[in-house]
Amino acid sequence: MKEKIADLEEKARRLRVAIVKTLHKSQSGHTGGSLSAIDMVCALYFHKMRHNPQDPSWEGRDRFVLSKGHAAPALYVTLAECGYFPAEDLMMLRRLGSHLQGHPDSKGTPGVDVCTGSLGQGLSMANGMALGFKLDGKDNRVYAVLGDGELQEGQIWEAAMAAGHYKSDNLCALIDSNGLQIDGDVSKVMNVASIGDKFKAFGWNVIEIDGHDMGQIISALDKAEAHKGAPTAIIAKTVKGKGVHLFENKASYHGVTPNDEELPEALRCLGCCD
């Protein structure tokens, strides 16, 4: 297990490097939330989910919903690492004609299951897919990554109520709880605490972890899959901009990319010199 965790940690480091380089090249996109969510996305694609980069439409695959769609760079670098498309495509992020737009597009990007971007809608889509698999007698699982600021959207709680009601135990929501949104502290803009208690009130199985501890992440994902009779919410305490001190815990880097002066220091922080 130690070797597996070390391998995932190294993958996540490389993915952070790719995020920083991609966003520097594009000079448009979301740095903070991509870096806070990447450990969870990495664990999902390289440890937990069933998927096939050679056959993105394989019916037996698990589904992934990036409900906080503005963190698309985290998903794109992961899909490229998996082999869904060439890594060179990352340098075309947000360019006219590129398949890598500012928010995930299931019609244009191999490996993207649903279009997201309008916050608050992803859990409803994930819930619908999970219910569909149940009705069809299939064992596919559905994973959704949500931001904590996104929990201010009312539709999230309608979806949470429905998933709890239908006991959708093939659904797992991962909450990227970095405590910041574009306008500042989540607690000051519209406090969503206590997140765990809210999901429990709707009948969810709740697991709280350090969202940058790879051992805790994969343990939580394994426990979520084993839990029957209720959906699982993994509340992951994270750091916005994790890995680069220039960006950590700064709401100002929600939607700001590394500039020419910041790039070398960011790469140094991530153990990359090229």
Side-chain angles (χ1 to χ4, degrees):
M1 181 57 76
K2 287 184 178 178
E3 188 174 322
K4 174 72 173 178
I5 291 172
D7 178 62
L8 289 170
E9 289 173 339
E10 173 56 18
K11 273 191 170 56
R13 185 194 66 81
R14 294 205 310 268
L15 293 174
R16 280 192 166 86
V17 170
I19 288 170
V20 168
K21 288 183 175 179
T22 298
L23 287 169
H24 171 259
K25 179 68 175 179
S26 70
Q27 285 300 292
S28 177
H30 295 77
T31 302
S34 297
L35 292 174
S36 67
I38 191 61
D39 293 302
M40 290 182 283
V41 177
C42 177
L44 282 168
Y45 275 88
F46 294 102
H47 167 69
K48 178 50 62 182
M49 287 173 50
R50 297 178 301 182
H51 65 111
N52 183 0
Q54 305 307 313
D55 185 7
S57 300
W58 172 48
E59 290 189 0
R61 73 190 188 283
D62 294 330
R63 303 298 197 269
F64 177 74
V65 179
L66 183 64
S67 191
K68 47 175 288 182
H70 55 275
L75 176 58
Y76 294 158
V77 299
T78 302
L79 292 175
E81 178 74 12
C82 289
Y84 282 93
F85 50 80
E88 291 75 16
D89 291 5
L90 296 171
M91 295 299 103
M92 296 299 289
L93 173 67
R94 292 193 173 216
R95 298 291 179 85
L96 188 63
S98 169
H99 69 87
L100 300 178
Q101 290 303 301
H103 296 80
D105 177 5
S106 59
K107 293 185 178 180
T109 307
V112 173
D113 286 317
V114 296
C115 299
T116 54
S118 296
L119 294 174
Q121 300 179 2
L123 189 59
S124 293
M125 291 188 280
N127 191 29
M129 287 189 283
L131 282 172
F133 289 133
K134 285 275 190 182
L135 290 171
D136 290 341
K138 296 180 177 179
D139 64 354
N140 307 62
R141 292 185 57 76
V142 183
Y143 297 90
V145 170
L146 291 70
D148 51 358
E150 182 183 8
L151 300 184
Q152 295 159 350
E153 303 283 351
Q155 187 173 335
I156 289 289
W157 302 109
E158 294 180 58
M161 179 169 54
H165 175 81
Y166 290 109
K167 305 184 188 306
S168 301
D169 54 15
N170 56 344
L171 171 64
C172 178
L174 298 96
I175 316 302
D176 179 13
S177 183
N178 61 41
L180 294 171
Q181 59 190 107
I182 192 168
D183 291 322
D185 292 359
V186 172
S187 62
K188 294 179 180 176
V189 175
M190 183 66 74
N191 195 359
V192 296
S194 161
I195 297 172
D197 288 339
K198 287 181 170 64
F199 276 97
K200 286 178 183 176
F202 287 119
W204 287 56
N205 173 47
V206 173
I207 303 171
E208 302 201 28
I209 63 168
D210 176 344
H212 301 305
D213 184 314
M214 196 58 77
Q216 291 188 33
I217 296 171
I218 64 175
S219 174
L221 290 171
D222 291 345
K223 289 178 180 175
E225 185 170 11
H227 188 84
K228 302 304 177 188
T232 292
I234 297 174
I235 316 298
K237 181 61 180 174
T238 59
V239 174
K240 203 175 186 83
K242 177 67 176 179
V244 180
H245 69 88
L246 297 171
F247 313 140
E248 286 188 353
N249 282 318
K250 295 179 181 175
S252 56
Y253 280 93
H254 177 92
V256 173
T257 59
N259 61 31
D260 290 344
E261 289 71 34
E262 292 166 335
L263 179 63
E265 176 62 10
L267 294 178
R268 187 196 65 78
C269 290
L270 297 170
C272 177
C273 299
D274 57 4

